[in-house]
Amino acid sequence: MKRIKVSFLAVLLLLTALWLGADTLLPDPFTYFSFRAVFMQYSGVLCIGLMSVAMLLALRPQWLEPHLDGLDKMYRLHKWQGIAVLVVAIIHWWWAKGTKWMVGWGWLEKPLRKPGAGEALGTIEGWLRSQRGFAESVGEWAFYAAVVLIVLALIKRFPYHWFVKTHKWIAVAYLALAYHSAVLIKIDYWSQPVGGLLAVLLLIGSAAALLSLTGRIGVSRKAQGTIVALTDYPALRVLETAVVLEDGWRGHTAGQFAFVTSDRSEGAHPYTIASAWNPTDRRLTFITKALGDHTSRLRERLKIGMPVTVEGPYGCFDFEDAQSHQIWVGAGIGITPFIARLKQRAATPDAKTIDLFHPTAEFDQTAIDRLTADAQAAGVRLHLLVDSKDGRLNGERIRATVPAWQSASFWFCGPPGFGQALRDDFLAHGLPPERFHQELFQMR
């Protein structure tokens, strides 16, 4: 989380610092309209800058993952930037439209145009000036569309398949806003560092928007596969799906995830990979829990022999650190990445001491027997807690079970609130923050 917080603030501060190098929020003379003019420029630069970076992140660039601690964190940063764009854009819109309304209502008096405003302009500046009215209209309607689409993306009850279909149209709104920004940004900015940065961001964002609209995101990381086995665990509301991939899959590390498409109308869904990679059988296993409309229908929809498309792998939840002792907490369906690591560790043992805690509200003896066998094969100490029988897991119980926890690193996957509570608890007891690893498996 620290990396994406720093990255979010860095983008804001960089845009602000470069803009302040070209303009000021304290114009002379300082009036309502003089401040409005510079604030509209500043808020516009922030909006299009943040939105451009968000468009880049939407491409799922692999080269950024190590720097931002995985695609799950990158998507969290993407969400923060979307919220920031929404807030700043609404303020920007109000200063534009609200001022015009207040002039119409007689609350404000619009200043007279300065002498020389109609003097001869250069070719480029003249063309930009001629586009201002159209650019303002385009920007206004693109703003309305973007607000609706961003709000829908933030509403968790909005079905995922509709989210996927509607969210891509933000790319169209972005292209319209890029045109709006290029026309209405002060011509003087383009010769300043802020103009150079904006030019780069607009090019990157526009390219990202076109790739999104043409369905090219992740195309180089896609592989075709076939479902070869389905195992249902009704008591857990869990379905295990085995897929054999054709050429194109580059392998993965335990703990990573992939986007799987079994129905084009539904789109791709992210699932953690629950198997180690073996190039001889080219098999991936996914474990999905019925938590929503799509996952609840998988039992009926998926069939052996059905073709699927798998894109990935993504994520940096890879269990790689310098600690000789690791504590794993896989809560509920969050056990999935740990199953993959157990299988990988059984195939290639290492000297680390591992304590695996698996708290769950639901129980299935067959699934537990398989997990126990995997843990024994990997040389991992398994601590199973069924809520109704053993009560809830907390930091105190972990410390009582693992007295040497101070020297360990923590790897958590499960409900975000539970993970945050454990993190806060252990950091309060002296655990260094960099030793608590949590996957933020929320893609919206």
Side-chain angles (χ1 to χ4, degrees):
M1 289 289 285
K2 182 178 179 181
R3 292 185 184 182
I4 59 174
K5 288 178 180 177
V6 170
S7 298
F8 179 74
L9 291 174
V11 172
L12 283 174
L13 292 175
L14 178 61
L15 289 168
T16 298
L18 292 183
W19 182 83
L20 287 173
D23 215 326
T24 177
L25 285 171
L26 298 172
D28 184 22
F30 188 91
T31 66
Y32 175 90
F33 281 95
S34 66
F35 177 78
R36 173 183 180 264
V38 293
F39 184 78
M40 289 287 291
Q41 291 290 321
Y42 173 56
S43 56
V45 166
L46 282 186
C47 272
I48 199 64
L50 286 167
M51 201 171 184
S52 297
V53 176
M55 292 301 299
L56 169 64
L57 295 177
L59 293 180
R60 305 197 272 267
Q62 184 180 13
W63 59 271
L64 265 179
E65 283 204 82
H67 305 289
L68 295 176
D69 202 20
L71 184 61
D72 56 321
K73 312 300 190 303
M74 289 164 58
Y75 268 18
R76 178 64 60 90
L77 177 58
H78 175 86
K79 179 179 179 178
W80 289 352
Q81 288 173 325
I83 294 172
V85 167
L86 180 63
V87 172
V88 178
I90 290 173
I91 296 171
H92 180 87
W93 169 84
W94 170 251
W95 276 91
K97 294 293 290 185
T99 297
K100 293 179 180 179
W101 291 336
M102 288 187 284
V103 169
W105 297 333
W107 295 4
L108 292 172
E109 184 176 348
K110 188 175 181 180
L112 298 174
R113 291 171 64 88
K114 293 181 179 179
E119 66 186 15
L121 301 171
T123 304
I124 295 177
E125 187 173 359
W127 181 83
L128 290 174
R129 289 285 183 90
S130 71
Q131 295 288 305
R132 288 180 68 88
F134 182 62
E136 287 177 356
S137 297
V138 167
E140 181 180 349
W141 287 105
F143 160 77
Y144 296 142
V147 167
V148 171
L149 293 170
I150 292 173
V151 169
L152 287 176
L154 295 173
I155 299 174
K156 294 295 181 67
R157 289 184 176 274
F158 189 61
Y160 183 87
H161 66 284
W162 283 112
F163 156 74
V164 171
K165 292 176 180 178
T166 58
H167 200 60
K168 70 181 295 183
W169 292 108
I170 286 184
V172 175
Y174 173 84
L175 291 173
L177 291 169
Y179 164 74
H180 169 87
S181 301
V183 170
L184 296 176
I185 285 172
K186 279 186 182 179
I187 192 72
D188 294 343
Y189 289 179
W190 296 114
S191 61
Q192 302 287 332
V194 68
L197 176 61
L198 284 176
V200 171
L201 290 176
L202 287 171
L203 287 172
I204 291 174
S206 298
L210 293 173
L211 288 172
S212 175
L213 291 171
T214 55
R216 302 293 296 174
I217 293 178
V219 67
S220 65
R221 306 182 75 179
K222 290 182 179 180
Q224 302 304 311
T226 305
I227 296 175
V228 295
L230 294 165
T231 305
D232 191 12
Y233 298 93
L236 301 178
R237 295 181 295 124
V238 162
L239 180 68
E240 180 181 296
T241 306
V243 175
V244 172
L245 295 178
E246 300 173 8
D247 292 339
W249 187 257
R250 304 171 187 175
H252 67 276
T253 299
Q256 292 188 298
F257 64 92
F259 289 88
V260 182
T261 304
S262 56
D263 180 351
R264 287 189 177 182
S265 65
E266 181 69 28
H269 283 253
Y271 302 116
T272 301
I273 303 169
S275 56
W277 176 243
N278 183 347
T280 59
D281 65 13
R282 307 190 64 79
R283 176 182 291 228
L284 295 186
T285 300
F286 299 98
I287 299 177
T288 55
K289 186 166 185 174
L291 296 173
D293 292 342
H294 172 72
T295 49
S296 297
R297 294 192 296 265
L298 288 179
R299 288 184 179 86
E300 292 74 34
R301 289 188 171 185
L302 298 187
K303 307 293 181 183
I304 293 177
M306 178 182 289
V308 296
T309 301
V310 181
E311 177 197 333
Y314 295 104
C316 295
F317 193 78
D318 55 10
F319 304 95
E320 295 298 327
D321 65 19
Q323 304 308 121
S324 60
H325 188 181
Q326 293 182 345
I327 295 174
W328 300 349
V329 181
I333 195 62
I335 192 64
T336 307
F338 302 103
I339 293 175
R341 183 62 172 172
L342 290 175
K343 295 182 181 298
Q344 186 180 67
R345 183 179 162 96
T348 55
D350 61 54
K352 291 183 183 291
T353 300
I354 310 293
D355 284 275
L356 169 58
F357 291 82
H358 177 45
T360 179
E362 296 152 329
F363 183 85
D364 181 281
Q365 190 62 54
T366 301
I368 292 302
D369 288 345
R370 290 183 62 179
L371 178 62
T372 301
D374 286 341
Q376 290 176 345
V380 168
R381 293 194 292 254
L382 175 63
H383 309 279
L384 174 67
L385 294 94
V386 180
D387 291 355
S388 59
K389 181 179 65 174
D390 303 303
R392 297 295 183 91
L393 180 66
N394 54 32
E396 184 178 353
R397 294 187 72 165
I398 294 175
R399 287 188 290 274
T401 305
V402 187
W405 64 270
Q406 295 96 332
S407 62
S409 60
F410 284 73
W411 296 80
F412 176 90
C413 186
F418 180 29
Q420 187 63 47
L422 285 180
R423 184 180 189 278
D424 292 343
D425 182 286
F426 277 96
L427 264 58
H429 283 78
L431 183 76
E434 63 273 13
R435 282 210 238 140
F436 195 100
H437 308 272
Q438 180 177 356
E439 187 173 51
L440 303 176
F441 202 70
Q442 292 180 315
M443 299 297 120
R444 56 182 293 196

